[in-house]
Amino acid sequence: MTTMTTAPAPAVTAQPAAPAPAPALPSVHMRALLTWLAVYPCITLAQIALGPALMPLPVALRVLVITGLVVPLVVYVLVPNLLKVRAAVLRRKG
């Protein structure tokens, strides 16, 4: 009786999928512009809305209160949304 021997099947190595290309980060100049576009109106609106109520406080305390409200709003809400809008506009153009 003859036995047939077969060669083992070659091992298939899983290739990791190529990572999706990271979206291009805007230049430092574009980030500065987007940040300014968020900061200026926020500070202006905060001054209009809170200025009269904060007037009795010393200037340093008024600035502390307003920046304490504006900075988180700009950093966590406005700038990320402006970056998304910018990316959508660039996708539409491209």
Side-chain angles (χ1 to χ4, degrees), residues 42-82:
C42 281
I43 290 175
T44 303
L45 290 174
Q47 285 288 354
I48 291 168
L50 301 174
L54 297 177
M55 191 55 80
L57 299 176
V59 173
L61 196 50
R62 283 185 292 203
V63 172
L64 179 68
V65 169
I66 288 178
T67 57
L69 297 171
V70 168
V71 169
L73 177 66
V74 166
V75 169
Y76 295 115
V77 178
L78 297 177
V79 170
N81 283 317
L82 284 172

Side-chain angles (χ1 to χ4, degrees), residues 17-25:
L25 292 176

